[in-house]
Structures are given as C-alpha cells and as structure tokens.
C-alpha cells in the first residue's frame, strides 16, 4: 500500500524504514474506534458544507461495510499497511471512489491517533472496572463465609495477633475498591470530544494531539492494581503450602510437576506475581518515552500503544483468571485455628488480662513473655496451662483467664472500627458491596 503522505519525496522510502515505521501490527486493534471517529468527522465535514451530502452518505455506507466485513471475516487487515488509519482510508477509497479521498480533509493522523487511543482505552478501562468489581464481590463472598474463621495475623511474616480469614480478605477488597476509583478518575480525565460520547472537547489543540498523560495515568492505576494482585497472590501461595495449609485451591486452577506426582502448584498466582513486573515496565516505558518530547507530536509517541495495550491485556488476563480461582478455593479453618493457637498470638491478651487486674502493663508484658518462653520449652500453648501453673507466675490469674485468652474472645474483643470481629467483617462486606452498587 502507498503511504498517505507521499508527494514531496522524490524517491521511494527504503523498505527497512517502512518496516521500522509501521504500526499496523499493534494499532490494528483500534480499527473500530478509527471508523467511529471517521463517521463523526465526515458528518462534521458535511454539516460545514466542506463535502457534499452525497459524499457523506457514500463515506458512511463504505465505513459501515468495512466494519461489517471485518466482523464477518470477509475482510482482513492488510499487515503491509503502514497503520490502521491508512488501511481504513485506502480500503474506503477502493469501495466508494473519490468520496473516500475527501474523508481526511481537515484532520491529520495525529488527530486520529489521539482520538482512537482515548476511545479504545476508555472501553478497556470500563471492562477492567467490571472485572475488578467481580473480584471484589468474590472476596466479599469468601470473607462473609470466613468471618468467624480465626487465623494468625502476621507482621514481619511472624505470627502476631489473632484475626479472622474474612478480615484478611476484606483488606484486599478495600485495596481493590481504591483501584476501581483510580481507574474511574483516570478515565474521567481522558473524557474529551463530545460527539463521541465524551464529556467535552480538548481545551487546547496542541495538547489534544501531544498529550499522553491519560495513558500514563491509566497505566499507573493498572500497575497499582497489579501490585495489590501480586500481594494477594503471595498470600495465596503461602496459604496453600503445606507449611500453612490454610486453603486448598481447586484442581482446575493448579498444575502438577513433571517429575513429582505429589505436587499441586499455584501457577496462577506465581504468574500474576511475575506479570506485575511486566506492567511496571510498561509504565516506565511510557514515562521515559514522554519525558523529553517537545510540542507537538513526535514519532516517539508511537511507542505508547504497545506499552499501554500490553498493560491492559496483562491486567485483564490476571483478573480473568484469579477471580474464579478465589471463588472456588476452599478455606481450611481448623488449620488456621491450630496455627493461631501455636503462635501464642493471644499473649497480648494475656498481658492485657493482668493489666486489667491491676498489674502495670510493662510488668504484665514481662510476666507473659516469661510464660511464653516456658511454654515453648515444654511444647505447650497458653491455653493448655493449668490454673496452678498460671498462678506460679501471678496470683492475679483466676479461672476467667481461659475466657480472656480464648482466640475467638480475643478477636471479638477487638471492637474498634474496621477490626476483625465477625460483626465488623460483615459490616465491611455490606459497606463494600454498597459502594459497588
């Protein structure tokens, strides 16, 4: 296909330059948006009297026929075309004649690129937002079921204090809810060009063709979302290991080993963890690409599409896979409870018990630490100590100590806002689902 810009040059462009310059391989995915923009542009030309009503009708008929043939498979995009805009215009001209040559009046390909990528990314963002909502809903459903499953909470990956499985899952639901807000904000800021369903036209024509802030902002929101998915994936990897065994993943979302028949590998979550770095790289590509570009358009900006499209595709793929994996996982609350008991995560509650009885907290802290050290040596938990053994450390201990250090009591006693109690988890689920609705 000849280039749209041929005319000034006295000799043909080297084929290697054509190959290097071509973007059809990755911008072909914007063909529907390109046709949509051309329909609106040609209608404007007709309204302004720049082209005839007949030309507008012919252009619209031709563009709709291209779209229909693409959908039916009767037309394939020519991989030798310079870009998607060239392919559409030349295919249109072949079908409707001179009217097709008039379509480009009053606009450049830079205008088309700026419009097409906004339209494409707006649709992609809306799709991803829907996927995130599905994932949040699954987390809420699993949290609701696990609102009373006591498990160890961790700091420094050391058992710290008792929480519930539902409380842990809702932490990720809140993170993803913020991701949803970031995507919505980024989409609002690319919302320019009224006739195409946007909120308003661009305020500055140079900014309109040379801005890629919306790509960077959207990619940043997606990178943050990938970070949250990666953290959740790391939890899942730990939880389904034999060392933890807090959950069991469905066989449909695990793989085996080619040599070790006992293996059940959490490949989905490991891949999400790995692909997070890929999206970070896409964001860095966009930032570095734009950092030294003067106004207005420069060819460097052609590199935006591969990076942003890769980020979109990667996040969509991860969300599409992780959501059913979490929906089908089976919690193992007995194992969670056993780990909580062995981790002395009720030690703070034991110290608080002594404090309530009148012992200064620092003394209660030291007393409880001494008890934990002795239990570790003897292979016991605090709950397994007899009352006589408790009294060896302090006469303040009475029968009610067993209620005070019961793991469920420990969780249910933490009634602060956003805490791990069953009621709190259920309220969080209701709040998050309410925000989604």
């Amino acid at each position: 296909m000849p280039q749209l810009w041929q005319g000034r040059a006295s000799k043909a462009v080297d084929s290697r330059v054509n190959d290097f310059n071509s973007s059809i391989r990755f911008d072909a995915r914007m063909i529907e948006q390109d046709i949509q923009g051309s329909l609106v542009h040609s209608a404007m030309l007709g309204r302004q009297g720049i082209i005839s009503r007949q030309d507008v009708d012919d252009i619209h008929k031709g563009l709709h026929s291209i779209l229909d043939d693409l959908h039916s498979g009767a037309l394939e995009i020519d991989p030798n075309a310079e870009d998607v805009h060239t392919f559409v215009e030349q295919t249109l001209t072949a079908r409707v004649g001179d009217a097709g040559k008039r379509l480009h009046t009053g606009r450049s390909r830079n205008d088309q690129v700026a419009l097409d990528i906004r339209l494409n990314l707006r649709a992609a963002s809306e799709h991803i937002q829907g996927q995130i909502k599905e994932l949040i809903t699954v987390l809420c459903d699993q949290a609701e079921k696990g609102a009373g499953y006591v498990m160890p909470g961790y700091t420094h990956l050391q058992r710290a204090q008792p929480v519930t499985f539902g409380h842990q899952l809702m932490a990720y639901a809140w993170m993803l809810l913020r991701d949803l807000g970031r995507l919505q904000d980024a989409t609002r800021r690319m919302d320019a060009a009224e006739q195409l369903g946007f909120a308003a036209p661009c305020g500055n024509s140079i900014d309109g063709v040379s801005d890629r802030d919306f790509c960077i902002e959207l990619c940043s929101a997606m990178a943050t979302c990938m970070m949250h998915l990666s953290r959740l994936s790391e939890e899942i990897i730990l939880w389904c290991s034999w060392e933890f065994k807090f959950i069991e993943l469905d066989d449909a979302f695990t793989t085996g080993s080619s040599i070790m028949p006992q293996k059940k590998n959490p490949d989905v979550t490991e891949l999400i963890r790995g692909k997070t770095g890929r999206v970070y790289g896409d964001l860095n590509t966009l930032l570095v690409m734009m950092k030294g570009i003067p106004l207005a358009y420069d060819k460097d900006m052609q590199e935006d599409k591969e990076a942003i499209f890769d980020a979109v595709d990667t996040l969509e793929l991860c969300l599409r896979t992780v959501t059913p994996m979490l929906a089908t996982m089976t919690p193992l609350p007995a194992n969670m409870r056993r780990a909580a008991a062995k981790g002395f995560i009720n030690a703070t509650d034991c110290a608080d018990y002594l404090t309530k009885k009148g012992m200064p907290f620092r003394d209660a802290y030291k007393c409880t630490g001494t008890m934990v050290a002795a239990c570790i040596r003897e292979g016991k938990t605090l709950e397994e100590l007899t009352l006589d053994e408790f009294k060896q450390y302090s006469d303040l201990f009475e029968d009610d100590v067993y209620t005070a250090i019961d793991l469920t009591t420990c969780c249910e006693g933490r009634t602060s806002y956003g805490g791990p109690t069953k009621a709190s988890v259920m309220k969080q689920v209701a709040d998050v689902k309410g925000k989604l609705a």
Side-chain angles (χ1 to χ4, degrees), residues 306-327:
E306 285 187 279
I308 191 64
F309 291 159
D310 181 70
V312 166
D313 292 346
T314 302
L315 179 53
E316 285 184 336
L317 178 62
C318 291
L319 288 166
R320 186 167 70 242
T321 314
V322 76
T323 301
M325 185 200 76
L326 292 175

Side-chain angles (χ1 to χ4, degrees), residues 289-298 300-301:
M289 177 197 77
M290 291 299 296
K291 75 175 180 63
I293 297 180
L295 295 175
Y297 180 83
D298 297 274
D300 315 45
M301 293 166 70

Side-chain angles (χ1 to χ4, degrees), residues 209-229:
V209 296
S210 63
D211 161 46
R212 289 300 183 270
D213 297 8
F214 60 92
C215 289
I216 293 168
E217 187 174 14
L218 186 65
C219 196
S220 176
M222 291 191 290
T224 303
C225 185
M226 284 296 300
M227 177 266 291
H228 289 145
L229 293 182

Side-chain angles (χ1 to χ4, degrees), residues 54 173 255 273 370 408 421 423:
Q54 184 60 54
T255 63
R273 206 170 49 182
T370 304
T408 300
T421 67

Side-chain angles (χ1 to χ4, degrees), residues 14 61 93 105 112 152 168 207 314 359 416 425 436:
D14 190 293
K61 182 179 178 182
T93 301
T105 307
Q112 289 176 268
Q168 191 93 351
D207 183 48
T314 302
M359 184 181 290
S416 58
V425 171
L436 290 183

Side-chain angles (χ1 to χ4, degrees), residues 43 62 122 127 186 193 210 352 356 435:
R122 185 178 66 174
H127 180 249
S210 63
D352 288 343
K356 289 173 186 175
K435 290 179 185 296

Side-chain angles (χ1 to χ4, degrees), residues 347 350-351 354-355 359-374 382 385 389-397:
C350 185
L354 290 172
T355 302
M359 184 181 290
F361 176 76
R362 195 49 62 195
D363 293 340
Y365 176 96
K366 183 176 180 181
C367 177
T368 304
T370 304
M371 292 165 60
V372 168
L382 288 174
L385 294 176
E389 287 174 313
F390 272 114
K391 284 186 172 293
Q392 289 176 17
Y393 296 95
S394 173
D395 288 334
L396 294 174
F397 285 115

Side-chain angles (χ1 to χ4, degrees), residues 155-182:
T155 60
H156 307 279
L157 207 53
Q158 302 295 311
R159 293 170 190 169
Q161 289 192 344
V163 296
T164 59
F165 187 59
H167 190 218
Q168 191 93 351
L169 292 180
M170 286 310 296
Y172 287 102
W174 285 107
M175 292 179 207
L176 288 163
L177 196 64
R178 293 193 296 274
D179 291 330
L180 190 61
R182 275 183 278 269

